[in-house]
Amino acid sequence: MIILLTGGAGFIGSSLAKQLLEEGHRVICLDNLDSYYDPDIKWRNVQETLNDPEYHFHEGDIRDSELIDTLFQNYAFDAVVHLAARAGVRPSVQDPGLYYDVNVNGTLTVLQAMQRWQVKKMVFASSSSVYGDSQQVPFLETDTADRPLSPYAASKRAAELLCHTFHHLYGFDIFCLRFFTVYGPRQRPEMAISQFTDSILNGRPITVFGDGSTSRDYTYVEDIVNGIIQSLENLKGYEVLNIGGSDPISLADLIHVIERAVGETARINRLPMQPGDVQLTYADIAKASQLIGYQPSVRIEEGIRRFVEWYRSRLNYSLATEEY
Ligand SMILES: NC(=O)c1ccc[n+]([C@@H]2O[C@H](COP(=O)([O-])OP(=O)(O)OC[C@H]3O[C@@H](n4cnc5c(N)ncnc54)[C@H](O)[C@@H]3O)[C@@H](O)[C@H]2O)c1
C-alpha cells in the first residue's frame, strides 16, 4: 500500500512508519514538526527511515490544503493514517483555539482532500479521553462520549464525528481508534513516564498530581502500531475501536514499576489534580479483538523495562522539557 501518514515524525507515527516499511508498504509522511515539544526529537525520530527509498518526508501543515493536494497529485495513496494533532490534555485547557484548529479543522482539511482525490480509506487517531470521567468500566465503544473534560478530548470527539459524516456522505471506510495512554521508546517528553524516568535518573523529585490513586490503562507503542496496521488491513465501514492495554495501573503503582526498572527510589513533590484530568481509563477491547484481531502483548513491567533501557541508551541528551 501507499500510505499518507500525517504526524509521522511524532512518537507513535515514527514507530508506525518503521513497521509499515518493514512490512513492504510505501510511506509518505506529512508533519510540520510543531513546537509542542523539541522538533529536534522529531528529526531524530525520522532519521532511521529517511534513507529508505520507500519513505518520503514532507514538512508541512495538515491545514494547508494546497500542499495536501500536491501530495495527492504526486502519489496514488491507498489510505491515510491520520495521526497529526496537537496532543496533550492539560495544555489544551490553556489554548483551546489552537487545539480545535489543528485537531478539528486540520482533520476536515485532510478529509476534504481525500474526497477531492477519491481516496476513501482512513485510520484516525482518537483518544480514550473522549470518555470523560466515565465511572462505568471498562469503557465500551457504545458508552456515551458526550461529556469531554478538556478541549483536547472535545476536539478528538468532534473529529470522530466528522469522520462519520464523510463515511455517511461519501462512503469512506474509516476506523477511529481510541488510543489509551501510549508509552514506550520515543514517548513524548512531557508525558508522565518520560518525566518520571528522567527525574529519577537525574536525582530530581518527580511531580505527582493528586494522591496517586488515579489509574491509566497504559498501552505499549508496539501494540498501538499493531492495532493501526490490523485496522488498515480490515478497513470497512465506519467503526470506533478501543486500542488499549486493558490492564489499568494506579499512578502510585506505576511509580513503583519505574523505580524498580531504574533501580532508584523516587522523591515525590505532590500537587493537586489538574483540571481536565480524569480519574480512570480502562479499555474494553472485545470489539477490536473481534474485528481486527487486536490483542495487546506487552505488559507494563516489560514495557517500562524496555522504555528505561531505551532511555538510558539516549541519555546523552535530555528529554525533559516543561512540566505540566
Ligand atoms: N500518546 C498517547 O498517549 C496518545 C493517546 C491517545 C491519542 N493519541 C493521538 O495519537 C496521535 C499521535 O500522538 P503522539 O503521542 O505520537 O504525539 P506526537 O506529538 O509525538 O505526534 C504528533 C505529530 O503531529 C505533528 N503535528 C502537529 N500538528 C501538526 C500539523 N498542524 N500539521 C502537521 N503535523 C502536525 C507533530 O509535529 C507531531 O510530530 C495524536 O493524534 C494523538 O492525539 C496519542
Side-chain angles (χ1 to χ4, degrees):
M1 277 196 269
I2 307 178
I3 291 158
L4 172 60
L5 171 57
T6 73
F11 159 44
I12 298 170
S14 58
S15 313
L16 173 67
K18 211 169 141 235
Q19 188 60 31
L20 285 170
L21 290 166
E22 271 171 31
E23 296 190 11
H25 301 290
R26 197 160 175 221
V27 179
I28 315 306
C29 170
L30 172 65
D31 195 303
N32 70 347
L33 305 172
D34 83 347
S35 57
Y36 176 56
Y37 61 89
D38 185 356
D40 280 352
I41 296 177
K42 298 175 188 179
W43 268 125
R44 278 188 212 106
N45 286 345
V46 298
Q47 286 314 307
E48 243 179 282
T49 40
L50 265 187
N51 291 329
D52 191 315
E54 297 303 313
Y55 180 84
H56 294 270
F57 179 79
H58 296 271
E59 185 173 344
D61 199 299
I62 51 164
R63 292 165 292 178
D64 181 345
S65 62
E66 268 179 43
L67 168 67
I68 298 191
D69 274 338
T70 312
L71 294 179
F72 276 90
Q73 192 168 21
N74 291 344
Y75 304 97
F77 295 123
D78 296 296
V80 177
V81 178
H82 179 39
L83 305 183
R86 196 74 183 192
V89 168
R90 292 173 194 154
S92 75
V93 177
Q94 310 309 322
D95 200 349
L98 174 66
Y99 276 72
Y100 203 86
D101 196 36
V102 175
N103 298 359
V104 185
N105 292 336
T107 300
L108 181 58
T109 307
V110 174
L111 287 166
Q112 287 178 301
M114 290 171 68
Q115 163 63 4
R116 279 193 296 279
W117 294 90
Q118 293 293 293
V119 174
K120 295 190 171 187
K121 288 186 178 296
M122 176 191 262
V123 176
F124 168 64
S126 187
S127 159
S128 61
S129 62
V130 302
Y131 290 110
D133 220 356
S134 175
Q135 301 300 314
Q136 211 176 319
V137 289
F139 298 167
L140 269 170
E141 292 88 345
T142 47
D143 292 348
T144 48
D146 57 4
R147 285 176 169 65
L149 299 192
S150 65
Y152 168 74
S155 73
K156 285 291 174 182
R157 183 69 181 121
E160 282 184 354
L161 299 177
L162 274 174
C163 288
H164 180 267
T165 304
F166 275 71
H167 158 71
H168 172 75
L169 290 177
Y170 310 117
F172 280 32
D173 294 315
I174 307 190
F175 282 9
C176 297
L177 306 184
R178 292 179 177 167
F179 299 153
F180 284 65
T181 320
V182 190
Y183 74 103
R186 303 178 184 180
Q187 193 196 37
R188 301 200 318 261
E190 94 289 2
M191 294 183 77
I193 291 174
S194 285
Q195 288 280 326
F196 292 168
T197 303
D198 188 71
S199 295
I200 299 172
L201 275 170
N202 289 296
R204 293 193 308 271
I206 62 173
T207 302
V208 174
F209 297 106
D211 63 3
S213 65
T214 53
S215 285
R216 290 287 174 278
D217 191 359
Y218 287 100
T219 317
Y220 194 67
V221 64
E222 205 175 279
D223 289 325
I224 293 285
V225 164
N226 288 338
I228 297 171
I229 294 177
Q230 288 164 327
S231 295
L232 277 172
E233 289 164 352
N234 291 282
L235 259 182
K236 190 140 191 57
Y238 172 85
E239 300 289 349
V240 171
L241 298 178
N242 288 338
I243 302 290
S246 204
D247 187 16
I249 181 171
S250 74
L251 184 54
D253 286 344
L254 172 75
I255 293 167
H256 293 317
V257 174
I258 299 174
E259 286 176 327
R260 283 196 293 278
V262 173
E264 307 274 349
T265 305
R267 285 185 292 130
I268 293 177
N269 172 28
R270 208 171 287 283
L271 292 176
M273 253 181 93
Q274 298 292 292
D277 280 2
V278 300
Q279 185 63 28
L280 165 71
T281 65
Y282 183 178
D284 184 307
I285 53 171
K287 184 177 175 189
S289 162
Q290 197 216 335
L291 221 62
I292 61 171
Y294 169 76
Q295 214 43 256
S297 62
V298 181
R299 294 183 63 98
I300 190 81
E301 289 79 9
E302 172 60 14
I304 294 287
R305 191 194 63 70
R306 290 191 205 173
F307 172 76
V308 170
E309 191 177 279
W310 169 83
Y311 198 92
R312 281 191 204 275
S313 74
R314 313 199 73 187
L315 260 187
N316 49 349
Y317 68 91
S318 172
L319 279 177
T321 52
E322 305 158 63
E323 292 198 32
Y324 293 107

